[in-house]
């Protein structure tokens, strides 16, 4: 049997603390990329650069999130689900259980209700029984823009718009683009909005899938 040199000793395994520290360093190093991913989820470069309805309300936005999804259904069908959003209306087609942990009282609808099909500027869309956004624009089959200016004493917030814009997709169907624009009123607003933007991504991604599933199911009859 040929002589073999002794194997060098194996390096010691990292401790759980060292592994956690390494993971934290990696996460922090990649945070800018992750932040871009959740703020721009599903959107094309053209959609990120586009001027959308409602952009002029918060002109100097400190944070903008633009997310999008393609839906194999006509704009008219997608609009029927978008226009009935609201905690006291058709819900948000997202994680109802998580929203209800903070008392939203949401039950996402699985059918279109005629009583929720009409919104006009000045109407209120509730996010929570004590928090609402005002309708700034409701153009049928095209755009729904909600606005919260942070003036309500029981629910102060940054100047904020939430826009749902519908375009015809290049290969048929509908392109739904959802944009959030935040205008900070104080130096503290960024500390609140930044983590909220990640929660918003989680809920919006589910919302887009919820709207898509409902609209496509209805379009297929």
């Amino acid at each position: 049997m040929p002589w073999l040199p002794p194997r060098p000793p194996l390096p010691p395994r990292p401790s759980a603390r060292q592994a956690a520290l390494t993971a934290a360093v990696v996460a922090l190093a990649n945070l800018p990329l992750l932040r871009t991913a959740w703020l721009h989820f599903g959107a094309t470069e053209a959609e990120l650069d586009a001027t959308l309805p409602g952009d002029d309300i918060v002109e100097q936005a400190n944070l903008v999130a633009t997310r999008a999804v393609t839906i194999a259904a006509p704009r008219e069908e997608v609009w029927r689900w978008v226009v009935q959003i609201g905690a006291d209306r058709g819900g948000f087609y997202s994680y109802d259980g998580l929203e209800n942990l903070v008392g939203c009282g949401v039950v996402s609808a699985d059918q279109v209700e005629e009583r929720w099909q009409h919104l006009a500027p000045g109407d209120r869309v509730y996010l929570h029984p004590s928090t609402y956004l005002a309708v700034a624009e409701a153009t049928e089959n095209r755009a729904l823009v909600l606005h919260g200016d942070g003036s309500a004493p029981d629910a102060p917030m940054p100047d904020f718009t939430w826009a749902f814009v519908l375009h015809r997709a290049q290969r048929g169907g509908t392109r739904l683009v959802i944009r959030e624009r935040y205008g900070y009123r104080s130096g503290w607003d960024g500390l609140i909005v930044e983590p909220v933007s990640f929660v918003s991504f989680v809920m919006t991604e589910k919302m887009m899938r919820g709207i898509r599933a409902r609209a496509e199911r209805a379009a297929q009859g």
Side-chain angles (χ1 to χ4, degrees):
M1 183 174 182
W3 178 85
L4 296 174
R7 292 183 178 179
L10 295 174
R13 288 187 175 184
S15 66
R17 182 177 181 181
Q18 289 173 322
L21 180 60
T22 301
V25 170
V26 172
L28 286 173
N30 287 280
L31 187 57
L33 292 176
L34 294 173
R35 181 179 182 272
T36 298
W38 75 59
L39 290 178
H40 301 164
F41 182 80
T44 65
E45 288 296 327
E47 288 165 341
L48 295 176
D49 294 338
T51 299
L52 299 182
D55 283 0
D56 58 330
I57 297 175
V58 183
E59 293 187 11
Q60 301 298 321
N62 299 92
L63 186 144
V64 179
T66 304
R67 306 175 179 113
V69 65
T70 298
I71 301 174
R75 286 191 300 176
E76 295 77 9
E77 185 59 54
V78 178
W79 172 258
R80 281 151 50 92
W81 298 96
V82 169
V83 75
Q84 65 180 25
I85 65 169
D88 59 334
R89 295 160 54 83
F92 300 102
Y93 319 114
S94 189
Y95 297 104
D96 292 1
L98 294 179
E99 292 169 331
N100 293 336
L101 286 176
V102 293
C104 291
V106 169
V107 178
S108 290
D110 283 322
Q111 61 185 17
V112 170
E113 297 280 353
E114 182 59 31
R115 58 191 169 130
W116 296 327
Q117 288 298 296
H118 306 284
L119 283 176
D123 289 346
R124 296 178 176 182
V125 172
Y126 281 84
L127 309 178
H128 182 277
S130 64
T131 307
Y132 67 86
L133 301 174
V135 176
E137 178 180 341
T139 303
E140 188 174 3
N141 304 328
R142 180 174 180 268
L144 173 64
V145 180
L146 308 178
H147 180 216
D149 64 5
S151 61
D154 57 340
M157 63 177 73
D159 200 9
F160 170 68
T161 53
W162 197 16
F164 299 77
V165 181
L166 285 65
H167 302 288
R168 287 191 176 89
Q170 289 184 350
R171 299 183 179 180
T174 300
R175 191 73 173 157
L176 172 61
V177 182
I178 301 178
R179 175 170 289 174
E180 303 166 14
R181 291 176 63 85
Y182 299 84
Y184 298 166
R185 296 180 177 277
S186 74
W188 295 101
D189 284 350
L191 298 177
I192 299 171
V193 172
E194 284 291 342
V196 164
S197 70
F198 175 73
V199 176
S200 171
F201 155 67
V202 173
M203 304 305 286
T204 300
E205 189 274 336
K206 180 65 165 74
M207 170 191 271
M208 292 192 300
R209 287 193 286 119
I211 294 174
R212 181 177 62 189
R214 288 165 172 82
E216 289 183 349
R217 183 174 62 242
Q220 292 167 3

